[in-house]
Amino acid sequence: MNCLRVPHILMPKEETDLYKWSVIACDQYTSQPEYWKETERIVGDAPSTLHLTLPEVYLEGEEEDGRIQKIHETMKQYLSDGTLRKLPKGFMLVERSFGKENSRCGLVVEVDLETYEYKKGGQSLTRPTEMTVEERIPPRLKVRRAASVELPHIMLLIDDPDCTVIEPLMEKKAQFEQVYDTDLMQKGGHISGWLIKEGTETKAIMQQIEKLADADVFGKKYHLEKEYPLLNFAVGDGNHSMATAKAAWEEIKKNLSAEEQKDCPARYCLCEIVNIHDKSLEVEPIHRVVFHAEEKELFDYAKTYYEAKGCQILIEEGKTEPFAKTEEHVFGVCSKAGFKTLKVLHPVWGIAAATLQNFLDAFLEEHKECRIDYIHGADVVESLGMEEGNTGFLLPEVKKEDLFKGVIVDGVLPRKTFSMGEANEKRYYMECRQIKG
């Protein structure tokens, strides 16, 4: 089953100031209202995606309902007064630079929501990488239900180590029509987009993406010992927005015949596909510190927990570099007592973060007096972990190929498994799509 369809992308009319038009995803800088105040100052009354989205910093605020009503009114206005223009059907090839060595390359497509499931245990071709918090969907549904336009900040990952899909397109980007080329506000870098019109090229792209989840090579690619449901796309960013689109579609489809469902715009969602092996994507582990938990107490619990799961554990003295192999997940541990190594042999989870997090979740469920924090830097973990009453856990480097295997074997990755880019590197709104008349 093909997950994709070629969209009719909407872009602002040609004289629009794209620097003011394009703003960062609404789920960023949620604790920094000053960021959004500055964005509002930059944009002013100019046509902008800021007027079409609800920054989540304003969720549950006094002005929420008024802002949502204004969003819906502006969407209709932009459609009626020509602010938004419809391009010929096609995919948008995107290049985003951040002043670093490598740019991020992507492909904006339309994804069939019938091939996506966000609930745990889903077996769809498109699945989230991390657990969906369903309580976060209703506020977003307020915007989606009456919206006539959608704007994507969803990033779908493909596992294409041989770089067969997006990278060849970038090599011949000059053959396609360039639609935009602009700097992005608030340290967002620079972005360019080329339209790949529907035809032979788009058919070839969809066929190549389908091959990535070919049943004959799937098991060998991920070294799977048993049969698992095929996975074509893993949602890297914007999963709650995609889950909202799915929830809205499930409401709408109840009142449609099977024939009406086929081409209903709400059945689809605009997303950007990015290769997990794109050189610009830096996937880093997120470490853990448990507060108010002594090392011995944690180790005693770990022994009982892992043995019940059919695993073995070894605890060794000394500092070591964490690593993960199929039959061994190894973590660094630091506490007031110094450094130790925790080895879990014959793990039943596909990724090291799941091996550790499932144990910590079980421990914390029984020890309400303890709390956990998720830390990016190893030096910070060591500093906090070695304070009285704390214990720090250092995770192995995250291998890009292991992210897909983790979703395939474990269902979803544990929360805070990895970090992928700074806040200002997240997707900025640019392309739109009409989902209602």
Side-chain angles (χ1 to χ4, degrees), residues 14 28 37 54 75 78 83 85 110 125 140 155 187 191 234 302 309 334 356 370 379 382 385 411 416 429:
E14 293 184 6
Q28 298 302 308
K37 292 296 182 185
L54 178 64
M75 287 177 173
Y78 283 5
T83 298
R85 60 191 173 101
E110 197 171 83
L125 285 168
R140 292 165 172 80
M155 183 190 293
K187 301 179 181 180
I191 192 167
K309 298 291 184 181
C334 57
L356 181 65
C370 303
D379 56 340
E382 292 180 10
K416 305 292 185 181
Y429 298 114

Side-chain angles (χ1 to χ4, degrees), residues 165-318:
V165 178
I166 297 172
E167 290 76 6
L169 297 172
M170 291 305 303
E171 291 177 3
K172 55 183 180 181
K173 63 187 179 184
Q175 298 177 19
F176 309 124
E177 175 191 350
Q178 187 164 31
V179 178
Y180 57 80
D181 183 49
T182 184
D183 288 335
L184 297 170
M185 68 172 73
Q186 301 258 53
K187 301 179 181 180
H190 190 92
I191 192 167
S192 304
W194 296 263
L195 184 67
I196 304 174
K197 294 180 181 177
E198 184 177 38
T200 305
E201 193 77 65
T202 55
K203 286 181 181 177
I205 291 168
M206 288 191 283
Q207 289 171 355
Q208 198 61 46
I209 288 174
E210 277 193 272
K211 285 182 183 178
L212 296 177
D214 186 282
D216 293 334
V217 300
F218 195 74
K220 295 178 182 177
K221 182 178 183 179
Y222 297 109
H223 308 288
L224 301 173
E225 297 178 356
K226 63 179 183 178
E227 190 173 326
Y228 288 91
L230 300 176
L231 177 66
N232 212 167
F233 299 107
V235 186
D237 268 334
N239 181 63
H240 287 90
S241 291
M242 196 166 187
T244 299
K246 173 74 170 184
W249 166 238
E250 290 297 326
E251 289 180 354
I252 292 168
K253 68 186 283 188
K254 293 175 184 176
N255 300 314
L256 301 177
S257 67
E259 192 62 33
E260 289 171 327
Q261 290 179 22
K262 288 181 181 178
D263 291 315
C264 179
R267 172 174 171 161
Y268 299 87
C269 186
L270 214 57
C271 306
E272 181 180 352
I273 297 173
V274 175
N275 185 5
I276 186 66
H277 299 279
D278 188 289
K279 292 180 180 178
S280 75
L281 289 185
E282 299 174 356
V283 179
E284 299 177 349
I286 301 177
H287 309 294
R288 276 80 167 142
V289 174
V290 180
F291 297 84
H292 314 303
E294 296 292 343
E295 179 189 271
K296 183 180 184 305
E297 187 179 22
L298 279 159
F299 283 157
D300 287 346
Y301 192 93
K303 186 175 188 300
T304 302
Y305 178 83
Y306 286 121
E307 287 180 354
K309 298 291 184 181
C311 312
Q312 294 176 256
I313 74 163
L314 296 175
I315 298 165
E316 300 175 353
E317 294 290 335

Side-chain angles (χ1 to χ4, degrees), residues 72-89:
H72 294 149
E73 291 171 356
T74 305
M75 287 177 173
K76 292 177 181 177
Q77 177 190 329
Y78 283 5
L79 287 171
S80 63
D81 68 8
T83 298
L84 284 170
R85 60 191 173 101
K86 184 179 287 187
L87 303 182
K89 270 191 171 185

Side-chain angles (χ1 to χ4, degrees), residues 299 313-320 328 330-331 333 339-343:
F299 283 157
I313 74 163
L314 296 175
I315 298 165
E316 300 175 353
E317 294 290 335
K319 189 175 184 179
T320 190
E328 187 178 17
V330 177
F331 308 93
V333 183
F339 292 96
K340 290 187 174 63
T341 300
L342 171 64
K343 296 183 177 181

